[in-house]
């Protein structure tokens, strides 16, 4: 009896997708990796990894926040601000998996306010700072920032 060849079960590596894990898990893994790179001051790699997560799910704020922190930590305020602005607009929560509540509430607004204030955009910083005040665990610091923004209005 002739042998029937078995179907190929193992595909060539070139045909296998790079990420076989679900998108939500990949997003979380990239987010964790970007944060670790940021902690090691490996800014270009952290930015690249955070942006890879953003591409997976631009509707979530967490990766936008991490991407912004790359520039924030370097005091590159004008470059950081657009990432935090995007995070304030991104509010999608995954059906499965964890979210960071701070990123869905006050944190992007707080970081955005600081960036805008340091960029001399005090009126915009004031608006962002007022939003950052709600639920912020450091209300006194935010109030001091608000006073600085008002002072900057001249």
């Amino acid at each position: 009896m002739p042998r029937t060849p078995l179907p190929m079960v193992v595909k060539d590596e070139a045909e296998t997708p790079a990420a076989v894990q679900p998108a939500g898990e990949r997003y979380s893994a990239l987010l964790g990796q970007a944060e670790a790179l940021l902690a090691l001051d490996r800014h270009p790699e952290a930015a690249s990894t955070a942006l890879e997560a953003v591409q997976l799910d631009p509707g979530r704020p967490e990766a936008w926040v991490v991407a912004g922190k790359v520039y924030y930590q370097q005091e590159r305020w004008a470059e950081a601000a657009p990432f935090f602005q995007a995070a304030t607009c991104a509010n999608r929560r995954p059906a499965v998996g964890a979210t960071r509540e701070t990123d869905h509430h006050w944190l992007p607004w707080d970081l955005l306010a600081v960036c805008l204030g340091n960029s001399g955009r005090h009126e915009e910083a004031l608006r962002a700072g007022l939003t950052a005040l709600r639920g912020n665990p450091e209300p006194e610091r935010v109030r001091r920032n608000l006073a600085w923004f008002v002072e900057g209005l001249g």
Side-chain angles (χ1 to χ4, degrees), residues 21 23 25-40 42-58 62-68 70-71 83:
Q21 63 195 142
E25 289 178 19
R26 178 117 176 97
Y27 179 91
S28 295
L30 287 168
L31 192 61
Q33 182 181 7
E35 289 175 317
L37 290 164
L38 190 57
L40 294 170
R42 292 170 58 183
H43 295 114
E45 294 165 279
S48 170
T49 304
L51 290 175
E52 193 176 338
V54 163
Q55 289 176 344
L56 279 177
D57 195 344
E62 297 92 348
W64 288 111
V65 169
V66 174
V70 169
Y71 302 100
F83 292 102

Side-chain angles (χ1 to χ4, degrees), residues 3 22 34 46-47 52 61-62 68 81 91 118-119 127 134 147:
R3 296 181 107 191
E52 193 176 338
E62 297 92 348
N91 59 10
N118 280 305
S119 298
R127 284 194 297 272
R134 287 191 301 263

Side-chain angles (χ1 to χ4, degrees), residues 59-128:
R60 290 182 63 176
E62 297 92 348
W64 288 111
V65 169
V66 174
K69 283 181 178 180
V70 169
Y71 302 100
Y72 186 94
Q73 285 186 356
Q74 299 174 72
E75 298 183 0
R76 294 165 59 185
W77 312 116
E79 292 170 84
F83 292 102
F84 299 132
Q85 182 66 52
T88 67
C89 299
N91 59 10
R92 193 187 83 67
R93 293 174 183 269
V96 177
T99 60
R100 291 194 313 221
E101 288 304 310
T102 57
D103 292 356
H104 284 269
H105 296 292
W106 59 268
L107 184 61
W109 293 101
D110 194 350
L111 297 170
L112 176 61
V114 171
C115 290
L116 294 170
N118 280 305
S119 298
R121 297 164 59 185
H122 296 285
E123 189 172 327
E124 295 169 85
L126 184 59
R127 284 194 297 272

